[in-house]
Amino acid sequence: MPDPHAYRMIPDYRTFDLAGDHYACGWAMGQATELRAIQGRANQPLAREFAAACAEVVRREHAPLLREYRGYADAQGRPWDDVLSHFSLNHPGGAVGGCSTLMWRAEDGHVMVARNYDFTTDQRARHLIRSAPPGVQPVLGTNASLIGGRYDGVNGAGLFVSLHLVRTDEPARVVPAVPFHLAPRIVLESCATARQARERLMSMPLMHAFNYAVADAREFFAIEVYPTLRRAREGDGALVTTNHYQHADMQPFHGRRQSANSRRRAERLWELWGNRSGDPWTWGQRALADHDGPLCGHERHLATLWALIADLTAHRIAYCLGAPCEAPFVEMPWPARA
């Protein structure tokens, strides 16, 4: 007898070319995807109040996203309350994450980015989305079914952003703020440079413990975020970001966690970069397929779901929809307004 849940293990690697304003983008995604269920909280009225407060913070930071949520809800004939939890995620901390990003300046002066996104294999939605609503930067990036989110990507100005979950102790008090999946989207749509992105991420109210890597053709940074503190690291020749804090001020938030896998991946990226040779475009793809870190993961609880290579100077990007040791990197047009 067929397993009725087997389809959930079949990855959904669809690509969406969205047209129109934020409402139209939300409508299109609502028509094409299922609403991702967010684990509920025991006190539902309090959870709704908190989610509504998070939506208000998002409205202050980037109001068009609320129109996108409205379009998503309308496309499915849902009341607003059904999508509210995608503003707060009911504020849980993340349990796993294995993302790795290397940003470096190649010998020809070009700024390059190589990035793997790792998560559990039951994360079925692995969407690549192109959008260009009026009044914001056009964006090409990925999402995993959280409304309006982008997990990594580039914009028309040449800015790159990626997120990296960090496991930490919970803060004593959680206040309404922007959830992790909307932070890259806000930055990509509203910033033109890595320095602007750094300042935005350093000042934006952010709810979850994450690292964010940002880069453009001139410079690159890692922003380490905890709800009550954040620090920025700046790269020179290269910069590595994985799933632990590297700034001394941030490391106490790990508590007793060793973050051994994340630290090993960071070390391996530095090892590979130190021995790099040849064309940086092809070398970066080989580095992402490395199993010694392991950078390219195949465990059910931590697998590489997609990868990207980008030349931010040449405005060139390719995505690999799957493990980079198995699936090809496919070059995509740089985001631009039609």
Side-chain angles (χ1 to χ4, degrees):
M1 181 177 179
D3 180 357
H5 302 293
Y7 83 98
R8 296 189 180 277
M9 300 302 293
I10 301 172
D12 176 9
Y13 281 115
R14 281 182 290 172
T15 297
F16 296 92
D17 288 298
L18 305 182
D21 62 9
H22 283 83
Y23 182 91
C25 291
W27 178 278
M29 294 305 295
Q31 289 277 294
T33 64
E34 297 180 6
L35 179 66
R36 178 171 167 178
I38 305 298
Q39 185 175 355
R41 307 290 288 184
N43 188 330
Q44 286 301 310
L46 185 61
R48 187 205 176 280
E49 180 182 342
F50 184 85
C54 290
E56 175 59 21
V57 175
V58 173
R59 185 194 65 77
R60 293 198 302 266
E61 293 294 326
H62 199 57
L65 282 176
L66 272 72
R67 292 285 297 156
E68 186 158 328
Y69 274 63
R70 181 67 68 182
Y72 192 101
D74 288 352
Q76 298 187 1
R78 294 180 177 274
W80 181 244
D81 280 10
D82 281 7
V83 299
L84 263 182
S85 61
H86 278 239
F87 286 107
S88 67
L89 308 181
N90 288 322
H91 56 83
V96 298
C99 308
S100 307
T101 297
L102 169 66
M103 303 172 285
W104 78 101
R105 190 175 304 280
E107 282 66 22
D108 61 2
H110 286 213
V111 171
M112 308 292 299
V113 172
R115 145 86 163 175
N116 277 355
Y117 174 82
D118 291 31
F119 204 69
T120 60
T121 57
D122 60 0
Q123 181 178 284
R124 182 170 176 261
R126 308 167 191 184
H127 299 150
L128 183 59
I129 304 172
R130 186 182 300 275
S131 60
V136 300
Q137 289 282 349
V139 172
L140 173 68
T142 54
N143 191 27
S145 74
L146 292 174
I147 299 172
R150 297 295 183 271
Y151 285 38
D152 52 50
V154 295
N155 71 14
L159 173 66
F160 163 83
V161 181
S162 66
L163 56 73
H164 304 249
L165 181 150
V166 179
R167 296 190 65 198
T168 64
D169 290 340
E170 287 294 312
R173 180 169 175 263
V174 179
V175 299
V178 174
F180 73 86
H181 65 291
L182 294 183
R185 176 75 180 279
I186 292 171
V187 167
L188 286 168
E189 289 197 343
S190 64
C191 298
T193 69
R195 192 163 293 268
Q196 289 175 356
R198 183 193 68 179
E199 296 310 309
R200 194 79 198 269
L201 288 166
M202 289 293 288
S203 61
M204 187 189 310
L206 294 169
M207 191 186 316
H208 299 105
F210 267 75
N211 291 328
Y212 297 92
V214 301
D216 62 20
R218 299 177 60 184
E219 54 191 347
F220 34 87
F221 306 95
I223 296 85
E224 302 186 350
V225 174
Y226 187 74
T228 59
L229 187 69
R230 61 198 69 182
R231 292 289 185 264
R233 295 185 293 116
E234 184 171 357
D236 185 13
L239 192 63
V240 167
T241 306
T242 54
N243 299 92
H244 67 283
Y245 295 137
Q246 297 184 42
H247 195 287
D249 292 350
M250 304 296 291
Q251 292 182 24
F253 295 117
H254 286 299
R256 300 179 65 182
R257 299 170 184 84
Q258 298 300 310
S259 304
N261 179 277
S262 176
R263 294 178 188 276
R264 175 55 190 150
R265 282 183 284 110
E267 291 170 358
R268 183 57 178 160
L269 279 172
W270 282 117
E271 291 170 5
L272 291 168
W273 182 76
N275 293 289
R276 67 196 182 283
S277 62
D279 172 41
W281 182 262
T282 54
W283 174 84
Q285 295 175 50
R286 290 197 307 270
L288 293 176
D290 178 82
H291 292 114
D292 289 343
L295 296 172
C296 183
H298 296 271
E299 300 294 331
R300 183 173 179 178
H301 69 282
L302 199 60
T304 302
L305 306 187
W306 68 74
L308 71 86
I309 182 79
D311 181 335
L312 302 182
T313 305
H315 283 195
R316 185 183 181 193
I317 186 169
Y319 267 97
C320 169
L321 300 182
C325 69
E326 300 173 343
F329 282 81
V330 178
E331 196 157 347
M332 305 282 179
W334 197 265
R337 199 165 304 285

